[in-house]
Amino acid sequence: MAEMSNSNFSKTTSIQQAVSSCCGAIITSLFVTPLDVVKTRLQAQSNPFPRGKCFIYSNGQMDHTCVCENGDGKACYRRNGHFKGTLDAFVKIIQVEGIKSLWSGLSPTLIMALPTTIIYFACYEKLSEALKSRLGRDNDQIPLVAGSLSRFVSVTVVSPLELIRTRMQYHTLSYKQLHLSIRSKVARDGWLSLWRGWSTTILRDVPFSAVYWYNYERFKKMMCKNAGAREPTFFIAFTAGAASGSIAAVVTLPFDVVKTHRQTELWESETLQNPQRDSASTWTLMRKIVAKKGIAGLFAGITPRLFKVAPSCAIMISTYEYGKAFFRHLNEKTNQHP
């Protein structure tokens, strides 16, 4: 009975897991956002974004659709700059605009990324524990199932919020105007219209999550065994996260190519109020890409995706595991010295 009590106290609570995932999301965003800001500036330099054009902005946790607006050059993608490459862009942005410019646009995306990350990791932990009690702690299928279902839930919850955020960004609506806009959209197209673009996101993110968690748990277990560690160290979690994130990124890249195409097309039709053309199915779109560019077309952008995904996954999971370990030790001390 004493052993059971001690085990229960050493486990992390839902609030402690939420705090750990929240800290991980913030730290990841602080590291990854500058890379995406520089990438966007380089893209805008070679191909200026016209008004209403959409581009994908990532803070390391989520891909957000950003819409180019009318403006006087204040938006980060409109600022002038003659960059010779990535390193040159970093240096010139810091020198001319100040270091804060490397985190342009971070705050509004964090408003969505934080709850999404908390829901995702909380679901994964709860589902893993439930499946382990039924199937056994060493069942290899648990990370696949828990990872898939947790991502399914988080994407489903957040999809309508992404639509609302994009509309607010482009039309500068008050909350009352936004409410009327959403009501009219629901009245015209039905409640399911709030989840437009959901299917392509699910098609990429659910397989990514399944592959990621399956490999992460395997790598973590193997590295802990080799190191003789009872729980993963920061280095083990970081390495396992980077490796599993890279594998998942490569495997799901064709779906990412399709998702990016569909996402920008969808939000441009939303913001410019253009009627959206009937889009082909995912498989039809993939066949068109292969016919036009060959198999390599489905893996376009593999290098920048790996540079984004590998560090994002590594920083997020290592910070999350570190946070859980901190709270576990805190709970053990509290149990020993009530």
Side-chain angles (χ1 to χ4, degrees):
M1 190 73 176
E3 283 182 11
M4 187 179 290
S5 174
N6 189 59
S7 173
N8 287 336
F9 271 102
S10 64
K11 284 183 179 179
T12 51
T13 65
S14 296
I15 292 176
Q16 290 170 341
Q17 290 167 6
V19 171
S20 299
S21 59
C22 190
C23 290
I26 292 170
I27 292 170
T28 304
S29 298
L30 289 174
F31 273 96
V32 175
T33 297
L35 298 174
D36 215 64
V37 167
V38 168
K39 182 206 75 175
T40 303
R41 295 289 294 276
L42 289 169
Q43 286 178 341
Q45 177 178 274
S46 58
N47 260 322
F49 300 142
R51 182 178 185 271
K53 181 70 177 174
C54 292
F55 63 94
I56 304 300
Y57 173 95
S58 174
N59 61 12
Q61 294 302 304
M62 292 178 66
D63 289 340
H64 298 275
T65 309
C66 291
V67 190
C68 296
E69 312 145 356
N70 275 332
D72 54 3
K74 290 181 181 178
C76 70
Y77 51 80
R78 286 188 180 275
R79 290 176 185 156
N80 294 324
H82 301 286
F83 310 124
K84 298 174 184 176
T86 302
L87 184 60
D88 185 57
F90 267 110
V91 173
K92 285 182 177 175
I93 289 171
I94 292 171
Q95 286 178 341
V96 177
E97 301 166 23
I99 197 166
K100 286 184 180 179
S101 289
L102 292 176
W103 286 274
S104 299
L106 175 61
S107 299
T109 63
L110 274 180
I111 292 170
M112 285 184 58
L114 292 181
T116 305
T117 304
I118 291 170
I119 293 168
Y120 176 47
F121 278 86
C123 285
Y124 180 79
E125 293 286 354
K126 295 299 180 187
L127 286 167
S128 293
E129 285 301 316
L131 290 168
K132 283 174 183 176
S133 66
R134 287 176 173 271
L135 305 175
R137 303 194 72 81
D138 296 323
N139 192 302
D140 289 338
Q141 307 307 314
I142 290 173
L144 280 170
V145 177
S148 300
L149 290 176
S150 55
R151 180 56 77 184
F152 182 92
V153 170
S154 62
V155 169
T156 302
V157 169
V158 168
S159 280
L161 301 179
E162 175 69 359
L163 180 144
I164 290 167
R165 186 196 66 81
T166 308
R167 283 199 163 199
M168 283 190 77
Q169 178 209 357
Y170 185 69
H171 294 295
T172 321
L173 302 173
S174 68
Y175 285 105
K176 185 177 180 181
Q177 290 171 323
L178 178 66
H179 176 67
L180 292 172
S181 172
I182 297 299
R183 278 187 63 183
S184 65
K185 181 174 177 59
V186 169
R188 185 177 66 251
D189 302 324
W191 280 102
L192 289 179
S193 64
L194 298 180
W195 279 268
R196 287 180 70 189
W198 172 86
S199 58
T200 49
T201 304
I202 285 289
L203 199 56
R204 182 197 68 173
D205 287 5
V206 168
F208 179 95
S209 189
V211 173
Y212 170 77
W213 283 110
Y214 176 76
N215 285 296
Y216 174 72
E217 296 292 359
R218 284 184 63 215
F219 291 153
K220 181 177 74 171
K221 191 184 295 183
M222 180 180 67
M223 293 174 75
C224 284
K225 187 178 178 180
N226 292 339
R230 188 169 62 92
E231 60 184 28
T233 63
F234 186 89
F235 176 77
I236 288 174
F238 189 93
T239 307
S244 53
S246 298
I247 293 168
V250 173
V251 170
T252 59
L253 186 59
F255 297 113
D256 183 63
V257 171
V258 172
K259 177 187 176 293
T260 302
H261 175 84
R262 284 272 178 79
Q263 198 173 4
T264 53
E265 184 183 72
L266 168 64
W267 294 119
E268 282 168 17
S269 74
E270 282 284 334
T271 54
L272 295 176
Q273 301 298 312
N274 290 334
Q276 190 182 17
R277 293 170 296 178
D278 292 334
S279 55
S281 71
T282 298
W283 308 112
T284 303
L285 192 54
M286 282 184 171
R287 284 199 297 270
K288 286 182 179 179
I289 292 171
V290 170
K292 189 175 181 180
K293 301 179 181 178
I295 292 292
L298 293 177
F299 293 88
I302 187 168
T303 303
R305 181 156 164 77
L306 282 174
F307 270 108
K308 178 178 72 175
V309 171
S312 297
C313 290
I315 296 167
M316 179 64 219
I317 198 65
S318 54
T319 309
Y320 179 65
E321 293 280 18
Y322 184 86
K324 287 203 302 177
F326 169 80
F327 285 119
R328 269 197 301 269
H329 297 152
L330 184 67
N331 293 344
E332 287 172 1
K333 287 180 182 178
T334 305
N335 186 35
Q336 290 168 1
H337 307 284

